[in-house]
Amino acid sequence: MLKSGSLTFKVHRQKPELVSPAKPTPKELKPLSDIDDQEGLRFHIPTIFFYRHNPTADSDPVAVIRRALAETLVYYYPFAGRLREGPNRKLAVACTGEGVLFIEADADVTLVEFEEKDALKPPFPCFEELLFDVEGSREMLNTPLMLMQVTRLKCGGFIFAVRINHVMSDAAGLSLFLKTMCDFVRGYHAPTVAPVWERHHLSARVPLRVTHAHREYDEMPAIGMENSGSGDNLVGLSFLFGHSEMSAIRRLLQPNLVNRSTTMEMLTAFLWRYRTIALRPDMNKEMRLIFIVNARSKLKNPPLPRGYYGNAFAFPVAITTANELTKKPLEFALRLVKEAKSSVTEEYMRSLADLMVIKGRPSFSSDEAYLVSDVRIFANIDFGIWGKPVYGGIGTAGVEDLPGASFYVSIEKRNGEIGIVVPVCMPEKAMQRFVEELEGVFNGQFVNRGSKSSISSL
């Protein structure tokens, strides 16, 4: 993947250390749920947070965060353990108390140097220096389940980067962990929301019964990126959607549909359609959108406890042909997105857990699909003396072997406007077309559809 931008800097790292729980914790074996240990979640997912300097704070963020981590691991002690794999590839956590990896670092760069125009946007330069990949730490079994790096900046601000083994938690679960760290930074003596393991809530039923189609787990041929520009270098760019951009998107839709749709639904439909136009696939090609849906509110019998920090989401998929997606109006794509989202019910999740056992914990079909995930929840990781992050979310465009993944990150511009920044990764020629298509919409070239574009190429 091409690196964007010209910013270079040096990072001086201390030797990685293991941070263990501040107090003794139970030694036990805790099975993961059948949602947790599917193949598609068996990787480590990174997030990154930027914090501005607080001139009134005389505390060292490295020391403060290291101490809060040790206190948090007393309550989230499975994170200090190691994964084991049993019969039928069933994963469990051996709660050994060994700890998580922690790196202290300093960088000769200021936070403002990371900013593009008026906001921070991924992909961030030298990301691999801000979350150092300790040798062997990406393995699934018998390795630390979390890696943290705190990097002090020359301006007095700092960067807090975290990588977790995805089978342990989703974005909502990781947010609970990080908010508990925030509690300890603020001087609390216990989490404001007590963590709950209870992974049996999302384990398979007896007898097993698959009651939904679950097209997201279709067996598909292993092929590469879309034909259009597949020989190109992949390019990661960020796109900022503020008030004017979302207004332009709404003008592409019927008012009654806008009133019944969320911002994420409309933005997802828009990106899926225009991404497909830019890729120029064969018109008969099947186009897939994987729409990550948090299912916590769907589970009623019994309800998931508030402090549940396991994976509790599904990958419903919207499917159509390139011809229909690009030739029909945007409302067609929006209706498919809404249908996929509404398909996730309690029975859907029970059926999914059963499918994992029956099919041997398969991966979702990611080949050539566009995957979107809303991680705006990370905007609220407030460390008290340093406040909320200037940026909190994904640090790259795409993750692992999913270049076709986009994550929605909440961003605050310098003028105080709140928007959504979306990193997108595509072949270079397709990306050029994508930028042109979006500029056409936002510059009002298509039937008076909006104002000036805020597309940012880093």
Side-chain angles (χ1 to χ4, degrees):
M1 188 182 297
L2 287 180
K3 285 187 180 179
S4 306
S6 57
L7 178 63
T8 58
F9 51 89
K10 291 182 180 179
V11 177
H12 176 70
R13 288 184 302 274
Q14 302 296 328
K15 184 179 178 181
E17 60 180 296
L18 284 173
V19 173
S20 301
K23 299 175 184 175
T25 54
K27 301 293 190 287
E28 55 190 352
L29 189 68
K30 300 179 83 69
L32 292 171
S33 80
D34 291 312
I35 301 295
D36 289 324
D37 62 5
Q38 56 185 293
E39 184 64 36
L41 299 185
R42 296 187 181 208
F43 70 100
H44 296 253
I45 189 162
T47 51
I48 190 166
F49 303 82
F50 290 76
Y51 291 87
R52 294 198 190 280
H53 172 55
N54 179 357
T56 66
D58 57 0
S59 301
D60 174 17
V62 172
V64 169
I65 290 175
R66 183 196 284 116
R67 185 167 56 249
L69 172 60
E71 296 285 354
T72 299
L73 288 172
V74 172
Y75 296 88
Y76 287 83
Y77 62 89
F79 263 114
R82 301 293 183 264
L83 283 181
R84 306 285 189 260
E85 189 174 62
N88 301 316
R89 304 180 68 230
K90 183 65 186 172
L91 291 177
V93 182
C95 299
T96 60
E98 292 172 77
V100 304
L101 279 169
F102 185 90
I103 302 172
E104 173 183 350
D106 293 273
D108 63 349
V109 65
T110 63
L111 191 147
V112 72
E113 291 179 81
F114 285 96
E115 293 184 344
E116 165 70 16
K117 295 182 181 176
D118 61 354
L120 281 162
K121 308 181 189 76
F124 297 109
C126 306
F127 179 77
E128 65 281 358
E129 298 296 322
L130 302 171
L131 186 58
F132 182 67
D133 186 14
V134 178
E135 185 177 358
S137 65
R138 284 183 180 269
E139 299 297 323
M140 280 299 299
L141 304 178
N142 307 313
T143 56
L145 296 168
M146 179 180 289
L147 166 66
M148 282 189 184
Q149 180 172 327
V150 182
T151 305
R152 304 180 193 90
L153 302 177
K154 195 164 59 175
C155 59
F158 66 94
I159 297 172
F160 172 55
V162 186
R163 196 185 73 199
I164 66 165
N165 192 316
H166 204 337
V167 300
M168 291 292 290
S169 294
D170 55 16
L174 174 59
S175 178
L176 284 170
F177 183 98
L178 297 178
K179 285 180 178 179
T180 297
M181 288 183 61
C182 294
D183 289 341
F184 285 112
V185 168
R186 294 174 174 210
Y188 290 31
H189 298 293
T192 53
V193 178
V196 174
W197 183 262
E198 295 187 10
R199 303 295 170 108
H200 63 276
H201 283 296
L202 285 169
S203 288
R205 299 173 289 195
V206 179
L208 301 169
R209 53 187 187 277
V210 177
T211 57
H212 285 68
H214 301 294
R215 294 290 309 279
E216 60 272 27
Y217 295 94
D218 287 349
E219 293 182 14
M220 300 178 70
I223 51 182
M225 289 287 290
E226 280 77 354
N227 292 334
S228 176
S230 59
D232 290 353
N233 290 314
L234 295 179
V235 177
L237 299 182
S238 270
F239 298 84
L240 178 59
F241 294 87
H243 175 75
S244 63
E245 290 76 32
M246 288 309 304
S247 294
I249 292 172
R250 291 185 183 97
R251 283 194 286 272
L252 298 173
L253 297 162
Q254 296 295 327
N256 66 328
L257 191 54
V258 169
N259 295 334
R260 293 185 285 109
S261 304
T262 67
T263 295
M264 186 180 178
E265 290 167 351
M266 290 184 285
L267 181 55
T268 299
F270 176 80
L271 290 171
W272 184 31
R273 182 177 189 268
Y274 283 90
R275 177 180 182 271
T276 303
I277 290 171
L279 287 166
R280 292 183 179 173
D282 182 283
M283 285 292 100
N284 294 318
K285 180 177 175 54
E286 180 181 273
M287 304 305 296
R288 288 179 164 236
L289 171 78
I290 299 173
F291 188 81
I292 293 181
V293 174
N294 185 340
R296 282 168 171 76
S297 64
K298 314 284 186 181
L299 298 162
K300 308 288 188 184
N301 187 28
L304 277 186
R306 185 180 171 207
Y308 186 86
Y309 63 99
N311 290 285
F313 70 93
F315 298 99
V317 60
I319 304 172
T320 187
T321 64
N323 183 63
E324 285 196 311
L325 186 57
T326 59
K327 298 297 172 60
K328 290 186 176 181
L330 181 59
E331 66 182 54
F332 173 75
L334 178 55
R335 292 185 191 281
L336 290 180
V337 168
K338 291 172 70 68
E339 287 171 8
K341 182 180 176 182
S342 64
S343 71
V344 178
T345 61
E346 178 158 15
E347 179 57 30
Y348 182 101
M349 296 300 294
R350 306 294 177 203
S351 172
L352 174 55
D354 294 352
L355 177 79
M356 289 298 107
V357 175
I358 291 171
K359 285 203 167 185
R361 314 187 191 287
S363 180
F364 58 92
S365 303
S366 59
D367 282 323
E368 302 197 64
Y370 183 41
L371 183 148
V372 296
S373 178
D374 185 357
V375 296
R376 289 177 291 172
I377 191 172
F378 291 132
N380 297 317
I381 304 305
D382 187 338
F383 279 119
I385 48 178
W386 296 290
K388 293 183 179 181
V390 183
Y391 175 94
I394 203 74
T396 56
V399 292
E400 290 286 312
D401 57 349
L402 295 174
S406 285
F407 296 81
Y408 298 170
V409 180
S410 180
I411 198 82
E412 183 175 350
K413 297 165 69 174
R414 288 195 180 210
N415 64 6
E417 180 188 350
I418 301 296
I420 301 172
V421 67
V422 184
V424 176
C425 183
M426 282 195 288
E428 189 170 11
K429 291 179 182 176
M431 182 64 82
Q432 291 170 357
R433 293 191 292 266
F434 187 63
V435 170
E436 291 170 2
E437 288 288 338
L438 268 61
E439 285 180 338
V441 172
F442 299 143
N443 286 330
Q445 294 174 17
F446 302 142
V447 200
N448 188 28
R449 291 173 177 170
S451 55
K452 186 176 180 181
S453 169
S454 287
I455 297 175
S456 303
S457 57
L458 301 178

